[in-house]
Amino acid sequence: MNSPSQLLGKNTKINLSDSQKQFYKKIVNETISTEVILIKIDGAQSPLNQDPPTKVEVSQSKTLVKYLIVQNLFESEEESARRESILGSLNKIIHQWSLQVCTEAVSFFFY
């Protein structure tokens, strides 16, 4: 299987709309500029390396993100907004159902 850098090459052209360019540029910049945040979790092992990324690692990350873009593995802002809306609706439905079940259980046992 070819690596992302072999598939993309140095002069790979990706045809994107202006909004897609802004969106993916934001992803690349956030991916590259994100600092390591350590969260202590019981039983979890600490990171092997806490050093900032090297230039090679940054380059590899950018190549990987470009490859993921070419493979259409990032959702658009519209898809993200729709997913969040649907998950919000499901959360509301589950919350209402849970409240109803608990209310019925309490009334069954205490009345």
Side-chain angles (χ1 to χ4, degrees):
M1 184 171 173
N2 294 331
S3 69
S5 58
Q6 290 171 328
L7 290 173
L8 289 173
K10 292 203 182 245
N11 298 318
T12 301
K13 293 282 185 182
I14 304 170
N15 296 322
L16 300 172
S17 68
D18 288 338
S19 63
Q20 287 175 317
K21 287 177 186 175
Q22 287 180 331
F23 178 70
Y24 292 130
K25 184 176 182 182
K26 179 180 168 188
I27 290 172
V28 171
N29 290 336
E30 286 177 0
T31 302
I32 302 310
S33 65
T34 301
E35 295 180 20
V36 174
I37 300 172
L38 301 176
I39 301 173
K40 178 125 175 121
I41 301 173
D42 290 338
Q45 194 173 12
S46 63
L48 297 176
N49 185 353
Q50 296 180 15
D51 297 335
T54 64
K55 288 181 181 181
V56 171
E57 292 168 335
V58 170
S59 174
Q60 290 172 338
S61 294
K62 286 183 179 183
T63 301
L64 177 60
V65 169
K66 286 179 186 178
Y67 173 75
L68 295 173
I69 291 169
V70 168
Q71 298 301 317
N72 199 26
L73 295 175
F74 285 110
E75 64 183 7
S76 68
E77 289 182 14
E78 294 83 17
E79 291 170 325
S80 179
R82 185 164 190 268
R83 179 180 51 80
E84 288 177 15
S85 172
I86 291 169
L87 289 174
S89 298
L90 285 173
N91 187 37
K92 185 176 178 181
I93 291 168
I94 291 169
H95 180 74
Q96 290 172 343
W97 172 79
S98 170
L99 186 61
Q100 179 184 353
V101 168
C102 290
T103 303
E104 289 172 2
V106 167
S107 66
F108 177 77
F109 287 109
F110 294 105
Y111 295 109

